[in-house]
Short mmCIF file of all heavy atoms in Angstrom, two decimals:
data_model
loop_
_atom_site.label_atom_id
_atom_site.label_comp_id
_atom_site.label_asym_id
_atom_site.label_seq_id
_atom_site.Cartn_x
_atom_site.Cartn_y
_atom_site.Cartn_z
N HIS A 1 89.69 111.22 110.46
CA HIS A 1 91.00 110.58 110.60
C HIS A 1 91.44 109.99 109.27
O HIS A 1 92.58 110.14 108.83
CB HIS A 1 90.93 109.49 111.68
CG HIS A 1 92.27 109.04 112.16
ND1 HIS A 1 92.43 108.07 113.13
CD2 HIS A 1 93.54 109.39 111.80
CE1 HIS A 1 93.72 107.88 113.35
NE2 HIS A 1 94.41 108.65 112.55
N PHE A 2 90.48 109.33 108.58
CA PHE A 2 90.77 108.75 107.26
C PHE A 2 91.16 109.85 106.28
O PHE A 2 92.13 109.72 105.52
CB PHE A 2 89.54 108.00 106.74
CG PHE A 2 89.66 107.50 105.33
CD1 PHE A 2 90.32 106.33 105.03
CD2 PHE A 2 89.11 108.23 104.27
CE1 PHE A 2 90.43 105.87 103.72
CE2 PHE A 2 89.22 107.79 102.96
CZ PHE A 2 89.89 106.61 102.69
N THR A 3 90.40 110.94 106.28
CA THR A 3 90.70 112.06 105.38
C THR A 3 92.09 112.62 105.64
O THR A 3 92.85 112.89 104.69
CB THR A 3 89.65 113.17 105.57
OG1 THR A 3 88.36 112.67 105.23
CG2 THR A 3 89.96 114.36 104.68
N GLU A 4 92.44 112.78 106.89
CA GLU A 4 93.76 113.30 107.25
C GLU A 4 94.87 112.40 106.70
O GLU A 4 95.84 112.88 106.11
CB GLU A 4 93.89 113.39 108.77
CG GLU A 4 95.27 113.82 109.24
CD GLU A 4 95.47 113.61 110.74
OE1 GLU A 4 94.50 113.20 111.43
OE2 GLU A 4 96.60 113.84 111.22
N ILE A 5 94.72 111.10 106.87
CA ILE A 5 95.76 110.15 106.43
C ILE A 5 95.85 110.12 104.92
O ILE A 5 96.96 110.11 104.35
CB ILE A 5 95.46 108.75 106.98
CG1 ILE A 5 95.57 108.75 108.50
CG2 ILE A 5 96.40 107.72 106.38
CD1 ILE A 5 96.90 109.25 109.03
N ARG A 6 94.71 110.15 104.23
CA ARG A 6 94.75 110.10 102.76
C ARG A 6 95.37 111.37 102.18
O ARG A 6 95.98 111.34 101.11
CB ARG A 6 93.36 109.88 102.18
CG ARG A 6 92.72 108.53 102.46
CD ARG A 6 93.62 107.35 102.13
NE ARG A 6 94.12 107.38 100.76
CZ ARG A 6 94.87 106.42 100.23
NH1 ARG A 6 95.21 105.36 100.96
NH2 ARG A 6 95.31 106.50 98.98
N LYS A 7 95.22 112.50 102.87
CA LYS A 7 95.88 113.73 102.42
C LYS A 7 97.40 113.61 102.57
O LYS A 7 98.16 114.08 101.73
CB LYS A 7 95.36 114.93 103.21
CG LYS A 7 93.95 115.37 102.78
CD LYS A 7 93.51 116.60 103.55
CE LYS A 7 92.13 117.07 103.08
NZ LYS A 7 91.66 118.27 103.82
N ILE A 8 97.82 112.95 103.63
CA ILE A 8 99.25 112.72 103.84
C ILE A 8 99.79 111.80 102.75
O ILE A 8 100.87 112.03 102.19
CB ILE A 8 99.50 112.10 105.24
CG1 ILE A 8 99.21 113.13 106.33
CG2 ILE A 8 100.93 111.59 105.35
CD1 ILE A 8 99.27 112.57 107.74
N VAL A 9 99.01 110.77 102.42
CA VAL A 9 99.42 109.81 101.38
C VAL A 9 99.50 110.52 100.02
O VAL A 9 100.46 110.33 99.27
CB VAL A 9 98.43 108.64 101.31
CG1 VAL A 9 98.68 107.78 100.08
CG2 VAL A 9 98.55 107.79 102.58
N ARG A 10 98.52 111.33 99.72
CA ARG A 10 98.53 112.06 98.45
C ARG A 10 99.73 113.00 98.36
O ARG A 10 100.40 113.07 97.32
CB ARG A 10 97.24 112.85 98.27
CG ARG A 10 97.29 113.80 97.07
CD ARG A 10 96.04 114.59 96.88
NE ARG A 10 96.27 115.66 95.94
CZ ARG A 10 95.36 116.15 95.11
NH1 ARG A 10 94.14 115.65 95.08
NH2 ARG A 10 95.65 117.14 94.29
N ALA A 11 100.00 113.72 99.43
CA ALA A 11 101.14 114.65 99.45
C ALA A 11 102.44 113.90 99.20
O ALA A 11 103.33 114.41 98.50
CB ALA A 11 101.18 115.39 100.78
N ALA A 12 102.57 112.71 99.75
CA ALA A 12 103.77 111.90 99.54
C ALA A 12 103.89 111.46 98.08
O ALA A 12 104.97 111.45 97.50
CB ALA A 12 103.76 110.69 100.46
N HIS A 13 102.75 111.12 97.47
CA HIS A 13 102.74 110.77 96.05
C HIS A 13 103.22 111.95 95.21
O HIS A 13 104.03 111.78 94.28
CB HIS A 13 101.34 110.36 95.61
CG HIS A 13 101.02 108.92 95.85
ND1 HIS A 13 100.85 108.39 97.10
CD2 HIS A 13 100.83 107.90 94.98
CE1 HIS A 13 100.57 107.10 96.99
NE2 HIS A 13 100.56 106.77 95.72
N GLU A 14 102.70 113.12 95.52
CA GLU A 14 103.07 114.31 94.75
C GLU A 14 104.55 114.66 94.93
O GLU A 14 105.24 114.99 93.97
CB GLU A 14 102.20 115.49 95.18
CG GLU A 14 100.73 115.33 94.80
CD GLU A 14 99.86 116.42 95.37
OE1 GLU A 14 100.28 117.06 96.37
OE2 GLU A 14 98.74 116.64 94.84
N LYS A 15 105.02 114.57 96.15
CA LYS A 15 106.42 114.89 96.43
C LYS A 15 107.36 113.92 95.72
O LYS A 15 108.40 114.34 95.18
CB LYS A 15 106.67 114.86 97.94
CG LYS A 15 108.07 115.27 98.34
CD LYS A 15 108.23 115.30 99.86
CE LYS A 15 109.64 115.71 100.26
NZ LYS A 15 109.79 115.74 101.75
N ALA A 16 106.99 112.65 95.70
CA ALA A 16 107.84 111.64 95.06
C ALA A 16 107.62 111.58 93.55
O ALA A 16 108.39 110.92 92.84
CB ALA A 16 107.57 110.27 95.68
N GLY A 17 106.57 112.24 93.04
CA GLY A 17 106.28 112.22 91.61
C GLY A 17 105.94 110.84 91.10
O GLY A 17 106.39 110.44 90.02
N LEU A 18 105.14 110.09 91.85
CA LEU A 18 104.81 108.71 91.48
C LEU A 18 103.92 108.67 90.25
O LEU A 18 103.18 109.61 89.95
CB LEU A 18 104.14 108.00 92.66
CG LEU A 18 104.96 107.95 93.96
CD1 LEU A 18 104.25 107.12 95.00
CD2 LEU A 18 106.36 107.41 93.70
N SER A 19 103.98 107.57 89.53
CA SER A 19 103.30 107.45 88.24
C SER A 19 101.93 106.80 88.31
O SER A 19 101.26 106.67 87.28
CB SER A 19 104.18 106.64 87.27
OG SER A 19 104.40 105.33 87.78
N ASP A 20 101.50 106.36 89.49
CA ASP A 20 100.21 105.69 89.56
C ASP A 20 99.05 106.69 89.59
O ASP A 20 99.26 107.91 89.64
CB ASP A 20 100.16 104.75 90.77
CG ASP A 20 100.43 105.47 92.08
OD1 ASP A 20 101.00 106.58 92.02
OD2 ASP A 20 100.08 104.94 93.15
N HIS A 21 97.83 106.17 89.52
CA HIS A 21 96.62 106.99 89.49
C HIS A 21 95.59 106.34 90.41
O HIS A 21 95.46 105.11 90.42
CB HIS A 21 96.03 107.06 88.08
CG HIS A 21 97.03 107.44 87.02
ND1 HIS A 21 97.17 108.74 86.56
CD2 HIS A 21 97.94 106.69 86.33
CE1 HIS A 21 98.11 108.77 85.64
NE2 HIS A 21 98.60 107.55 85.48
N TYR A 22 94.82 107.15 91.13
CA TYR A 22 93.74 106.56 91.92
C TYR A 22 92.69 107.62 92.23
O TYR A 22 92.96 108.81 92.25
CB TYR A 22 94.26 105.91 93.20
CG TYR A 22 94.95 106.83 94.19
CD1 TYR A 22 94.22 107.65 95.06
CD2 TYR A 22 96.35 106.87 94.27
CE1 TYR A 22 94.85 108.48 95.96
CE2 TYR A 22 96.99 107.70 95.18
CZ TYR A 22 96.24 108.50 96.03
OH TYR A 22 96.87 109.33 96.94
N SER A 23 91.48 107.14 92.46
CA SER A 23 90.35 108.00 92.81
C SER A 23 89.70 107.46 94.07
O SER A 23 89.51 106.25 94.21
CB SER A 23 89.33 108.04 91.67
OG SER A 23 89.91 108.57 90.50
N VAL A 24 89.32 108.35 94.96
CA VAL A 24 88.74 107.97 96.25
C VAL A 24 87.26 108.37 96.29
O VAL A 24 86.91 109.49 95.91
CB VAL A 24 89.49 108.64 97.42
CG1 VAL A 24 88.88 108.20 98.76
CG2 VAL A 24 90.98 108.29 97.37
N TYR A 25 86.41 107.43 96.73
CA TYR A 25 84.97 107.67 96.84
C TYR A 25 84.48 107.31 98.24
O TYR A 25 85.01 106.39 98.88
CB TYR A 25 84.21 106.82 95.81
CG TYR A 25 84.17 107.45 94.45
CD1 TYR A 25 85.21 107.27 93.55
CD2 TYR A 25 83.10 108.24 94.05
CE1 TYR A 25 85.19 107.86 92.29
CE2 TYR A 25 83.06 108.83 92.80
CZ TYR A 25 84.11 108.63 91.92
OH TYR A 25 84.08 109.23 90.68
N HIS A 26 83.45 108.02 98.66
CA HIS A 26 82.84 107.82 99.98
C HIS A 26 81.38 107.44 99.81
O HIS A 26 80.64 108.12 99.08
CB HIS A 26 82.96 109.12 100.80
CG HIS A 26 82.32 109.05 102.14
ND1 HIS A 26 81.71 110.14 102.74
CD2 HIS A 26 82.18 108.01 103.02
CE1 HIS A 26 81.23 109.79 103.92
NE2 HIS A 26 81.49 108.50 104.12
N MET A 27 80.96 106.36 100.45
CA MET A 27 79.56 105.94 100.35
C MET A 27 78.66 106.90 101.10
O MET A 27 78.90 107.22 102.28
CB MET A 27 79.38 104.52 100.89
CG MET A 27 77.94 104.07 100.95
SD MET A 27 77.76 102.30 101.31
CE MET A 27 77.70 101.65 99.63
N VAL A 28 77.59 107.36 100.43
CA VAL A 28 76.64 108.28 101.07
C VAL A 28 75.24 107.69 101.18
O VAL A 28 74.39 108.23 101.89
CB VAL A 28 76.58 109.62 100.30
CG1 VAL A 28 77.91 110.33 100.38
CG2 VAL A 28 76.18 109.41 98.83
N ALA A 29 74.98 106.56 100.48
CA ALA A 29 73.68 105.91 100.55
C ALA A 29 73.81 104.47 100.08
O ALA A 29 74.64 104.16 99.21
CB ALA A 29 72.64 106.64 99.70
N GLY A 30 73.00 103.59 100.67
CA GLY A 30 73.02 102.19 100.25
C GLY A 30 73.88 101.30 101.11
O GLY A 30 74.00 100.10 100.85
N GLY A 31 74.49 101.86 102.16
CA GLY A 31 75.37 101.09 103.02
C GLY A 31 75.97 101.99 104.08
O GLY A 31 75.61 103.17 104.20
N PRO A 32 76.91 101.47 104.86
CA PRO A 32 77.50 102.27 105.93
C PRO A 32 78.30 103.45 105.39
O PRO A 32 79.07 103.31 104.43
CB PRO A 32 78.42 101.27 106.66
CG PRO A 32 78.71 100.22 105.65
CD PRO A 32 77.47 100.10 104.81
#
């Protein structure tokens, strides 16, 4: 569900040509 929403958010950024930058990470060890 999170992945689906973040793809929608990214597509909106691309369509609007926004100037910000961000990187998304997923924890795989050391916590939930």
